[in-house]
Amino acid sequence: MKILHYSLGFPPYRSGGLTKYCMDLIRAQKEKGHETVMMWPGEIKLSGHFVRFKKGVKNVKGVGKIESLKMKNPLPVPLDEGILDFDAYTKECKNPEAFEKILEEIQPDVIHVHTLMGLYREFLEVAKEKGIRIIFTSHDYFGICPKVTLFRKGDVCKGDCEYCRNCNEGALPLWKIRLLQSGLYRGLKDSAMVRLLRKRHRNQFFLEEDTEEIPMERTEETINDREDYLELRHYYLGMLELMDEIQFNSSVTEMVYRQFIPDSVRGRVVNISHRNIIDARKRKEFSGKLEIVYLAPPKPFKGYGILREALDELWEEGNRNFRLHIYGNAVKKAEYISMHKSFQYSELEDIFDKSDLLVAPSIWYETFGFTVLEALCFGTPVLISNRVGCKDLLKDSYFGMVIKPTKEDIKQAILYVSEHPELLKEYNRRIVEEMDLSKVLNFSEEIETMYVEE
């Protein structure tokens, strides 16, 4: 089988869960003897208006050689910065025959789309006309939400676009996006200066998300803004309707998408993994102080704020039989917090060996949550919110605790497990002896079934 993947690009230029998932899936497919090609959005030429393709080969560490198909003059790639210039993201391709020509050359059996960013609708339409099966993986909520998270000002967004203009006010101008998609930036991305600038930008990015919102007056302008963003979403939903099937990486992701996409769009939940995750479950002992580990960024959308409030209250009330371990992030100190340096993936086993409980109290609709799967693969019990996609693996709290993302729920759950370590012992036993992780760890096999029309 020949599989054409469309993603954001190759590491190290592109990083994050989407890129890692795509690279790991390609590796698994290559190992099974499939042919794979990766198409990705390259530079936008200031004087160019026509799509061109440049073929090549990329040698990716841990994966090997991958056939590369760089699309020149794609649509802009906003990442999670937001969108202000609607026309730039929805413009028609001047030469859709370029897509027909490249698909005739590549002759893929299936196209696996990992993002809508940078992709022309005409590409999907041409593929559809040729009868090529198209699969889409929902890594985030782009297409529904220009900021990809459906999270604003401390809670999940209703998605009615009432405040889209506010959320997208800091979107990058097109000249900056062109720079970030340029060959010059790809060459400089890992330089010390650019890394420092990126870090400062991301810190400011999260700081702006945490600030209190100033209420907007409903004016003709704000109403028009809302209509513009609804129209933008309509454009992307039209692209999703061209997919033969959507892979939702969790029931949480499917629940969110189903609020917006037509019922006619087919999809199924296929939980995901990555190649570094292995089944290393072991029995653990639970005694003494409750050792809690939190491995996410200390940001409000990850639930860190309500976690701290819950633990602060427990401590002040005299319930102090716990310790919270934070890795690689500077946070406000507390007597119960142990700070650790950033860790390498190879150190995870040691971290979980010393931990009694992983906490993932996300407030946003987290599409999956690899840290939860990683904890389970080392036999460590978990306490997660019902908005974390990885709750699918916990079977209604049989293999771990699933709670609402509130301070009070976290507080009561931590208090209970600190006073009843036998519950953690039972969770550990169930995880080690009864949990079937084979399906999620071998997710590429189920993805392959999606490539063949039923």
Side-chain angles (χ1 to χ4, degrees):
M1 183 180 296
K2 192 165 190 178
I3 307 154
L4 173 61
H5 290 271
Y6 176 78
S7 189
L8 289 174
F10 296 90
Y13 167 53
R14 295 298 187 193
S15 57
L18 184 156
T19 299
K20 184 168 182 54
Y21 171 88
C22 183
M23 291 298 102
D24 287 350
L25 182 57
I26 287 175
R27 172 179 168 167
Q29 291 168 349
K30 284 165 60 69
E31 289 174 348
K32 291 182 179 180
H34 298 302
E35 292 183 72
T36 59
V37 182
M38 232 268 283
M39 174 178 155
W40 53 284
E43 61 267 22
I44 302 174
K45 299 291 187 180
L46 292 175
S47 59
H49 302 284
F50 297 96
V51 170
R52 298 285 186 269
F53 288 98
K54 181 180 179 180
K55 294 181 180 179
V57 175
K58 297 287 185 181
N59 196 354
V60 180
K61 184 178 180 181
V63 182
K65 293 181 179 180
I66 302 174
E67 189 175 340
S68 166
L69 190 61
K70 180 170 72 170
M71 177 168 55
K72 295 184 178 182
N73 291 322
L75 293 177
V77 175
L79 299 178
D80 56 3
E81 302 282 353
I83 291 175
L84 287 175
D85 191 335
F86 306 105
D87 292 341
Y89 291 88
T90 59
K91 66 181 182 182
E92 293 183 3
C93 178
K94 298 288 186 181
N95 59 325
E97 61 274 10
F99 300 134
E100 186 169 354
K101 181 180 178 182
I102 199 66
L103 289 175
E104 287 176 355
E105 290 180 17
I106 299 295
Q107 290 288 308
D109 297 297
V110 65
I111 298 172
H112 192 149
V113 179
H114 297 270
T115 180
L116 300 180
M117 293 186 190
L119 188 63
Y120 286 96
R121 179 172 177 155
E122 287 84 355
F123 173 78
L124 300 176
E125 291 173 340
V126 170
K128 199 77 173 175
E129 289 172 4
K130 288 183 167 295
I132 303 171
R133 188 166 174 79
I134 311 172
I135 303 300
F136 176 74
T137 293
S138 56
H139 293 281
D140 52 41
Y141 303 116
F142 183 78
I144 296 170
C145 169
K147 296 280 286 181
V148 311
T149 60
L150 268 179
F151 180 88
R152 57 172 280 275
K153 309 308 174 187
D155 206 348
V156 292
C157 178
K158 293 183 297 182
D160 62 1
C161 293
E162 188 75 19
Y163 293 96
C164 274
R165 172 64 65 170
N166 273 16
C167 287
N168 289 271
E169 203 61 54
L172 294 178
L174 289 177
W175 71 265
K176 280 192 176 181
I177 291 177
R178 287 193 181 100
L179 176 62
L180 294 175
Q181 288 178 231
S182 68
L184 174 65
Y185 179 77
R186 286 197 296 274
L188 295 176
K189 184 182 178 184
D190 284 330
S191 67
M193 178 60 71
V194 173
R195 283 203 307 268
L196 178 61
L197 292 174
R198 281 165 45 208
K199 183 177 180 180
R200 286 180 179 175
H201 173 71
R202 296 309 287 176
N203 288 341
Q204 182 63 28
F205 177 86
F206 287 121
L207 184 63
E208 289 170 355
E209 285 202 338
D210 299 345
T211 55
E212 217 171 296
E213 182 168 63
I214 300 173
M216 288 193 313
E217 291 185 31
R218 286 185 60 80
T219 64
E220 185 176 344
E221 184 180 1
T222 61
I223 292 172
N224 289 339
D225 285 342
R226 178 177 182 273
E227 293 303 315
D228 284 337
Y229 281 103
L230 287 174
E231 187 61 30
L232 179 67
R233 178 185 293 160
H234 179 72
Y235 173 83
Y236 287 121
L237 292 182
M239 294 179 72
L240 292 176
E241 289 184 59
L242 291 169
M243 307 296 174
D244 289 287
E245 193 167 6
I246 295 178
Q247 177 211 352
F248 302 109
N249 53 16
S250 69
S251 62
V252 168
T253 313
E254 181 178 33
M255 179 271 295
V256 173
Y257 268 80
R258 287 295 179 194
Q259 294 176 44
F260 301 95
I261 61 176
D263 293 338
S264 58
V265 178
R266 294 185 60 191
R268 72 178 89 167
V269 173
V270 180
N271 296 138
I272 61 177
S273 180
H274 61 76
R275 65 183 175 86
N276 296 113
I277 297 180
I278 59 172
D279 189 350
R281 287 174 286 179
K282 63 189 72 173
R283 297 296 294 269
K284 297 166 65 78
E285 295 296 327
F286 301 91
S287 60
K289 196 178 291 287
L290 177 67
E291 304 293 345
I292 307 168
V293 61
Y294 174 89
L295 295 178
K299 301 297 178 182
F301 64 96
K302 287 289 190 177
Y304 181 74
I306 55 175
L307 173 63
R308 281 296 304 267
E309 289 175 13
L311 296 181
D312 284 345
E313 287 190 11
L314 285 173
W315 193 264
E316 290 168 6
E317 292 167 4
N319 301 301
R320 302 183 173 183
N321 190 34
F322 63 86
R323 182 166 33 240
L324 177 66
H325 297 269
I326 304 287
Y327 288 81
N329 294 289
V331 298
K332 184 179 178 181
K333 293 182 179 179
E335 289 184 63
Y336 60 80
I337 290 181
S338 291
M339 297 295 301
H340 306 270
K341 65 180 182 179
S342 298
F343 62 90
Q344 300 295 320
Y345 196 88
S346 60
E347 299 174 280
L348 266 185
E349 183 171 10
D350 183 58
I351 289 171
F352 284 123
D353 281 349
K354 297 174 182 176
S355 303
D356 298 320
L357 183 70
L358 171 85
V359 179
S362 289
I363 297 175
W364 78 298
Y365 290 127
E366 185 157 359
T367 55
F368 189 65
F370 278 138
T371 58
V372 179
L373 176 58
E374 288 159 353
L376 295 171
C377 282
F378 289 113
T380 301
V382 298
L383 168 63
I384 70 175
S385 88
N386 58 8
R387 293 178 181 174
V388 176
C390 206
K391 72 174 185 176
D392 292 348
L393 305 182
L394 301 186
K395 305 299 182 187
D396 296 321
S397 293
Y398 185 76
F399 292 111
M401 299 184 75
V402 181
I403 61 172
K404 294 179 181 178
T406 68
K407 177 193 70 176
E408 195 57 35
D409 278 60
I410 295 172
K411 183 179 174 182
Q412 294 305 317
I414 294 292
L415 180 61
Y416 190 85
V417 296
S418 66
E419 293 178 346
H420 299 85
E422 67 274 9
L423 176 61
L424 295 177
K425 188 173 183 178
E426 176 61 14
Y427 276 138
N428 171 244
R429 185 199 66 78
R430 293 175 184 174
I431 293 167
V432 172
E433 297 180 2
E434 301 179 37
M435 195 171 204
D436 182 8
L437 291 172
S438 60
K439 193 172 182 180
V440 66
L441 293 181
N442 298 304
F443 71 96
S444 63
E445 294 181 5
E446 187 159 358
I447 294 297
E448 197 169 318
T449 69
M450 298 181 74
Y451 291 169
V452 182
E453 190 171 3
E454 296 177 355

